[in-house]
C-alpha cells in the first residue's frame, strides 16, 4: 500500500495526499491526507532503523 501511495503522490502522477485520501475512502479506509503523510514518514523511519541494525557474531 505504501508503494502505491508513494507512486500516486510522485511527480509522475502528481496526486496530493488529500486526493489519495478520497480514493481510499471508496475502499472504506478513512484517513486524512495529513495522517497518510505522517504514517508514511513513520514507516520510512522505521525501515531505515531496521536496515542499520545488524547482529554481532557470537
Amino acid at each position: 500500500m505504501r508503494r502505491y501511495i508513494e507512486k500516486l503522490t510522485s511527480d509522475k502522477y502528481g496526486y496530493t495526499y488529500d486526493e489519495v485520501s478520497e480514493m481510499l475512502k471508496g475502499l472504506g479506509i478513512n484517513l486524512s491526507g495529513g495522517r497518510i503523510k505522517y504514517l508514511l514518514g513513520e514507516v520510512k523511519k522505521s525501515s531505515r532503523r531496521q536496515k542499520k541494525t545488524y547482529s554481532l557474531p557470537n
Side-chain angles (χ1 to χ4, degrees):
M1 181 67 81
R2 173 183 57 90
R3 289 184 182 139
Y4 291 121
I5 293 171
E6 287 174 343
K7 191 172 190 176
L8 287 171
T9 55
S10 69
D11 291 338
K12 182 177 180 181
Y13 294 99
Y15 287 98
T16 65
Y17 287 102
D18 288 329
E19 290 169 328
V20 172
S21 172
E22 290 298 317
M23 292 178 206
L24 292 175
K25 279 184 186 171
L27 299 172
I29 301 171
N30 295 309
L31 294 171
S32 70
R35 186 70 176 155
I36 292 170
K37 189 173 183 178
Y38 168 79
L39 290 171
L40 287 179
E42 289 298 307
V43 168
K44 284 181 185 176
K45 281 188 223 172
S46 166
S47 63
R48 265 185 269 155
R49 267 188 242 125
Q50 287 176 0
K51 288 178 186 175
K52 289 180 183 177
T53 59
Y54 55 92
S55 60
L56 296 173
N58 290 336

